Amino acid sequence: MYYGLNDDTAIRNIISGNYSGTPDGHAIYMKYPLTGVLSMLYKINGNIPWYSICMTLLFAVGVMAILWGIYHKVKGRSRLNIGAAFAFGCSLIVAFFIPQYLLLHYTLVAALLAAGALFLVALDVPVIWPVILWLLCFCVRSQVFYLSMPFLLVAIVWRIFSKEWKKYLRLILLLAATIGLCSAINTLMYAGPQWQEYTEYNEARTQLYDYLGVLPFEEHKEMYDEAGISREQYELIQQYGLLLDTSIDAKQLKKLAELTEQQIGNQKLQKTYLKKTLTEYYYYVRYTSAPYNLIAGLLYAGLFILLAAGKKIWKIVLEAACIAGRSMIWIFLIWQGRFPERISLSLHILEIFLLAGLLTYEMLQEKKKYVAISVIGIGVLLTAAGISLSVQSGRQAAEQGIRQQDWNILEAYCAERKENFYLLDVYSVVGYTDKVWSKSPAADNVALAGGWLADSPLWQNKVKQWENADGATALTDREDVLYIAKPERDLSWLEQFLQTGRPGGRLKQVDLISQSGEKVFTVYRFTLNE
């Protein structure tokens, strides 16, 4: 079992204190009411993997929500309906919870919590339990919470047709109150001037790297000149080496993001771009989204048949609106240029669990045996898909384990040389994560040369012995600061940038990190020519 992305290991290292030396609840992308508690637990006993335990417990909460929701609704039903409902619920767990646990990622943990909440709302259970799940989702990944809101709207409108709108008005009010309180606490914990400046910086960085992209310098030289970005700084930005030059501050990065958005925004309004977006969505649905679109299609079809048999016309209209709405969400995200796998998979999970909840609810209203048997059949197909996905996730976890051997050797190398500090080339190590239940703490004398922790208060605390120097200055002025990259990486851009502060110097290879006779990483030190 491995973390799906290095974001999880970074969050864990922050909360556990491995990053800055002290457990800290400022995990940036997770809300402080949760991370603050976890950091306190690490302060009490840092030998217990609290973050991994938390993620596992949240998975368990999602599983229990599905089973409890079904248990709550099947009271007084026929044995066949009870069996069908539980079999269908278990198939959902096999299809979605097990594969995601093998490659754990906090975004998908949040998605499964929100999906569980949608399932409960669709089943019409007491509103307090969905609110708790959504609150946990918000604390883990607030963006997923907001992604789930259109699906909540569908579920509430569905319930309104059953004349239960007062109950769901209470749900909305309670949800708004709890999320508002959580947001207020989080805002308070980031209210300091350093964190405010970093928040502005990170928002600009996110906009540039995650949504827009770094445009070529030669073709957009006037834009970079207006932003005050030199050719050498552009190379750092392109290579994600922001910590090497912290003079590129929040204001400058924000300006660059705004200018880049203007350039790209003009393209997005063109008919050719819109046509390209629709084409990408078509190919995504047809070729990339399996088996999730097939599962959703099966649930849509089963729900339609149930509604048509019961002549529930308005619910059929709502189902059609749901299909149109989900397509609009997908198309919008593709048009925005922000559609990574973890987001697309989160949307699939939210949609499927909402449909599953509605299908289960409608099935329990029917007394005909063929309806329950049909739902069991759908569950069998879901289970088969889940087994296939679990095998696939297991294979990916095994492949990650093989890749991880290189990272383990790198960490061991750095841990044995505590007298040095190592800046890691971002694109050389971006594919490495860690085991979910890793027993050994990460080396604390290493840090990425860029990424979302760039110039944060956490980073500043980590390198306070540098006396406010940036990464480039530390490389040129301190012999104990070195740079590590893959052997095949061309670092001419880094050498040229360092030479702007120390003319005549060069980036010299001083060591090789090898495994089984194969070069894995190269260690560099900037030296002045004698």
Side-chain angles (χ1 to χ4, degrees):
M1 287 169 49
Y2 285 86
Y3 289 112
L5 291 174
N6 59 7
D7 289 348
D8 289 275
T9 57
I11 291 171
R12 181 201 62 187
N13 290 341
I14 291 168
I15 298 172
S16 67
N18 189 256
Y19 185 82
S20 62
T22 304
D24 198 313
H26 293 92
I28 317 301
Y29 292 113
M30 294 176 70
K31 299 303 180 185
Y32 203 93
L34 175 61
T35 56
V37 171
L38 289 176
S39 66
M40 287 176 61
L41 291 173
Y42 273 108
K43 288 177 182 178
I44 294 170
N45 190 335
N47 294 320
I48 298 176
W50 295 111
Y51 181 79
S52 300
I53 291 172
C54 176
M55 293 295 105
T56 301
L57 287 176
L58 291 176
F59 252 83
V61 167
V63 170
M64 293 307 296
I66 302 300
L67 297 178
W68 179 84
I70 293 173
Y71 173 78
H72 183 269
K73 291 303 293 184
V74 297
K75 294 177 182 178
R77 311 288 177 176
S78 68
R79 290 183 179 180
L80 181 60
N81 272 2
I82 292 173
F86 274 109
F88 187 56
C90 290
S91 71
L92 285 172
I93 294 168
V94 171
F96 292 96
F97 283 85
I98 295 176
Q100 303 316 318
Y101 190 61
L102 294 174
L103 278 173
L104 191 64
H105 184 46
Y106 74 110
T107 298
L108 296 177
V109 172
L112 288 167
L113 288 168
L118 287 169
F119 186 83
L120 294 181
V121 172
L123 282 181
D124 189 29
V125 302
V127 298
I128 185 64
W129 303 114
V131 169
I132 291 173
L133 288 175
W134 260 306
L135 180 60
L136 291 171
C137 166
F138 184 79
C139 287
V140 175
R141 187 67 162 149
S142 59
Q143 286 86 343
V144 174
F145 169 81
Y146 294 120
L147 276 178
S148 71
M149 289 300 98
F151 298 98
L152 172 61
L153 178 62
V154 172
I156 290 177
V157 173
W158 197 279
R159 296 268 65 84
I160 288 174
F161 283 120
S162 303
K163 299 180 181 180
E164 299 166 354
W165 64 271
K166 290 183 178 179
K167 176 179 178 179
Y168 290 95
L169 177 61
R170 292 198 299 272
L171 182 147
I172 293 172
L173 294 176
L174 184 58
L175 188 60
T178 53
I179 297 303
L181 178 61
C182 182
S183 297
I185 295 172
N186 191 72
T187 300
L188 181 64
M189 300 310 298
Y190 286 87
Q194 280 187 310
W195 281 110
Q196 288 291 302
E197 183 179 354
Y198 166 73
T199 300
E200 184 181 357
Y201 177 92
N202 192 43
E203 287 175 354
R205 181 206 60 81
T206 301
Q207 185 71 7
L208 181 65
Y209 283 101
D210 294 353
Y211 291 92
L212 300 172
V214 180
L215 299 178
F217 185 85
E218 301 302 334
E219 297 176 23
H220 301 87
K221 187 176 183 305
E222 292 183 1
M223 181 190 75
Y224 284 102
D225 288 342
E226 186 177 348
I229 302 294
S230 67
R231 184 70 170 81
E232 291 77 14
Q233 288 177 320
Y234 161 78
E235 292 292 344
L236 292 190
I237 293 172
Q238 186 184 47
Q239 299 295 335
Y240 217 166
L242 293 175
L243 279 173
L244 297 169
D245 184 6
T246 53
S247 68
I248 306 175
D249 57 12
K251 184 178 180 181
Q252 199 171 17
L253 209 58
K254 184 178 180 181
K255 180 68 172 177
L256 178 59
E258 289 173 350
L259 292 172
T260 303
E261 187 172 21
Q262 290 175 13
Q263 294 283 334
I264 295 178
N266 294 332
Q267 299 175 11
K268 287 183 177 180
L269 297 176
Q270 296 176 3
K271 289 183 178 180
T272 53
Y273 190 89
L274 295 174
K275 183 179 180 181
K276 178 185 174 185
T277 299
L278 293 174
T279 302
E280 285 186 26
Y281 175 66
Y282 168 76
Y283 282 109
Y284 175 78
V285 171
R286 183 171 181 179
Y287 299 110
T288 311
S289 62
Y292 302 106
N293 260 2
L294 296 176
I295 294 172
L298 184 63
L299 294 176
Y300 275 118
L303 185 58
F304 173 79
I305 293 171
L306 267 178
L307 297 176
K311 297 181 180 180
K312 299 175 181 179
I313 306 302
W314 283 109
K315 286 187 176 181
I316 293 175
V317 172
L318 183 58
E319 182 183 5
C322 184
I323 296 173
R326 62 91 69 183
S327 298
M328 290 176 64
I329 293 172
W330 257 267
I331 291 169
F332 176 75
L333 290 172
I334 295 173
W335 179 74
Q336 282 285 86
R338 182 61 175 160
F339 201 55
E341 182 181 3
R342 60 187 179 275
I343 297 298
S344 62
L345 182 51
S346 294
L347 284 169
H348 282 303
I349 290 172
L350 294 172
E351 178 185 31
I352 287 170
F353 273 72
L354 171 62
L355 292 171
L358 295 175
L359 182 64
T360 303
Y361 180 86
E362 297 297 334
M363 176 203 73
L364 292 173
Q365 310 308 308
E366 296 288 339
K367 296 182 179 180
K368 298 174 182 177
K369 291 184 178 181
Y370 76 86
V371 173
I373 294 172
S374 299
V375 171
I376 292 174
I378 295 174
V380 170
L381 294 175
L382 272 175
T383 302
I387 293 172
S388 175
L389 289 169
S390 296
V391 170
Q392 182 181 340
S393 293
R395 188 181 300 115
Q396 291 173 347
E399 292 171 355
Q400 183 65 43
I402 295 173
R403 287 195 299 271
Q404 204 65 25
Q405 294 176 13
D406 294 348
W407 176 260
N408 295 339
I409 290 174
L410 169 63
E411 283 209 318
Y413 175 92
C414 297
E416 291 170 1
R417 294 160 177 81
K418 291 286 187 181
E419 70 278 7
N420 294 328
F421 190 94
Y422 298 93
L423 285 171
L424 306 181
D425 180 68
V426 173
Y427 291 130
S428 293
V429 299
V430 70
Y432 301 113
T433 59
D434 199 1
K435 286 184 176 180
V436 172
W437 300 102
S438 177
K439 296 181 180 179
S440 58
D444 58 3
N445 59 333
V446 300
L448 293 177
W452 51 267
L453 281 169
D455 211 24
S456 67
L458 293 166
W459 161 258
Q460 293 166 12
N461 187 54
K462 186 177 182 71
V463 296
K464 55 188 175 184
Q465 72 273 20
W466 291 3
E467 299 177 353
N468 297 321
D470 56 24
T473 304
L475 282 169
T476 56
D477 293 1
R478 300 177 64 102
E479 291 190 359
D480 61 343
V481 179
L482 299 95
Y483 196 87
I484 296 180
K486 283 287 188 181
E488 64 270 19
R489 280 281 285 163
D490 179 10
L491 298 181
S492 58
W493 58 272
L494 176 58
E495 185 173 69
Q496 290 171 10
F497 183 79
L498 296 177
Q499 287 171 346
T500 60
R502 288 289 187 271
R506 67 188 185 91
L507 205 57
K508 180 182 178 181
Q509 176 185 316
V510 295
D511 206 354
L512 282 171
I513 303 174
S514 302
Q515 177 180 215
S516 302
E518 183 180 347
K519 298 176 183 177
V520 180
F521 292 101
T522 305
V523 185
Y524 297 92
R525 175 182 281 123
F526 187 80
T527 60
L528 296 174
N529 292 333
E530 299 179 356

